[in-house]
Amino acid sequence: MTSPVYNVKAVPLDKIRANAYNPNAVAPPEMKLLELSIWEDGYTMPIVCYYIQDEDIYEVVDGFHRYTIMQTSKRIRDRENSMMPVVTIEKDISNRMASTIRHNRARGSHSVDLMVNIVAELVESGMSDEWICKNIGMDVDEILRLKQISGLAALFKNKDFSQAWVKDTNELEFYHHD
């Protein structure tokens, strides 16, 4: 397999859209710094997308904030002729989500609420906890915490649990008063 970075192409901004599952958040001061960086240095890294042939659209897997800068900075958009440097990956939705998380976790922090949604969607699509651990760099305890935060009992449907407590009849008699 050849790495996608060897196939960068210029894609019109209006043929790119954000995904609905990116849990990464960047504070306004860092966004201003990103805009300055892109202004001063140009785009030094392409964004990663999945091409949706039926819609003739590129959906962002990684690079949402660089994409956002192109949308919001007229001076950069004008200089770049509304074209984004893009590489594409061919993966199903679960693997694209995992790729987004890997990219984000390698760089910094992201939203717990959106991570809860992603874990829920992965579990509901049939991905095992082991798959999630392996593919998005989480450990079993992190997954458990996110499932607990979600409050969705369905996320625990394939788990065996021990009894939390067992009735002790001797103890009940001891506390029984007439």
Side-chain angles (χ1 to χ4, degrees):
M1 174 181 106
T2 302
S3 293
V5 75
Y6 297 109
N7 296 307
V8 179
K9 57 182 142 192
V11 174
L13 183 61
D14 63 359
K15 288 195 170 274
I16 302 170
R17 74 172 180 217
N19 66 48
Y21 52 81
N22 187 357
N24 198 19
V26 174
E30 283 78 13
M31 284 298 284
K32 286 181 181 176
L33 185 60
L34 179 59
E35 196 269 349
L36 178 63
S37 173
I38 292 170
W39 178 249
E40 293 295 327
D41 303 325
Y43 278 93
T44 58
M45 295 187 329
I47 64 171
V48 179
C49 292
Y50 172 76
Y51 181 63
I52 302 170
Q53 192 166 358
D54 296 350
E55 299 177 47
D56 190 27
I57 274 293
Y58 292 81
E59 188 173 83
V60 176
V61 173
D62 180 63
F64 172 76
H65 297 100
R66 284 170 277 148
Y67 162 71
T68 299
I69 293 298
M70 175 72 79
Q71 289 182 306
T72 59
S73 175
K74 182 177 178 349
R75 68 183 183 162
I76 290 175
R77 194 171 50 255
D78 288 348
R79 182 188 69 199
E80 303 291 327
N81 296 313
S82 295
M83 302 294 278
M84 287 289 310
V86 170
V87 296
T88 58
I89 59 172
E90 294 294 323
K91 296 184 178 211
D92 64 25
I93 184 64
S94 294
N95 282 291
R96 292 194 310 267
M97 292 171 110
S99 182
T100 295
I101 301 308
R102 284 191 300 266
H103 280 93
N104 288 348
R105 289 180 68 118
R107 275 194 302 267
S109 62
H110 47 265
S111 163
V112 170
D113 289 339
L114 289 172
M115 279 300 296
V116 167
N117 294 340
I118 288 169
V119 168
E121 190 166 331
L122 289 172
V123 169
E124 289 166 1
S125 71
M127 298 301 154
S128 68
D129 288 359
E130 292 76 24
W131 187 95
I132 295 169
C133 286
K134 178 182 175 219
N135 287 282
I136 64 176
M138 299 179 85
D139 63 39
V140 176
D141 290 336
E142 287 177 288
I143 293 170
L144 177 61
R145 283 191 300 275
L146 291 174
K147 286 180 175 182
Q148 289 168 333
I149 290 168
S150 78
L152 295 175
L155 297 184
F156 295 97
K157 69 182 175 203
N158 295 324
K159 294 292 175 202
D160 294 324
F161 294 95
S162 62
Q163 294 293 333
W165 56 275
V166 178
K167 181 172 126 180
D168 182 347
T169 54
N170 292 331
E171 191 176 304
L172 292 176
E173 289 176 17
F174 176 76
Y175 290 108
H176 182 72
H177 299 290
D178 288 316

